[in-house]
Amino acid sequence: MTRALAHLFRGDWSAAWAFHPLAPLLVLVATAALIWWLGVRKLGWRPIGRQMLDAGLLSSAVLFLAVWVVRLDANTLPPVGSLFSR
């Protein structure tokens, strides 16, 4: 995900997609969460309810796990061997 986000912030969307297809979604969700948090702190918006927050976190975790399983099955995970080899 880190490499995908680095490519995304450099504007290289195809490389970001190749490293992790959910990187743009993560940026979008993080931006929305930051805006909502600022709205709660500065504008008096109501905080997100605990059930809604739990449902969002659980569905995000399931989505990320599903992408990992599909990419593992399709043998399209990015290489990480160079991280552990000497």
Side-chain angles (χ1 to χ4, degrees), residues 19-53:
F19 278 111
H20 203 294
L22 295 180
L25 179 64
L26 181 66
V27 171
L28 180 68
V29 169
T31 302
L34 177 64
I35 290 170
W36 193 266
W37 179 77
L38 289 172
V40 168
R41 299 275 297 174
K42 304 291 184 189
L43 302 175
W45 296 355
R46 289 185 356 181
I48 295 175
R50 181 64 189 230
Q51 286 181 335
M52 177 83 78
L53 183 61

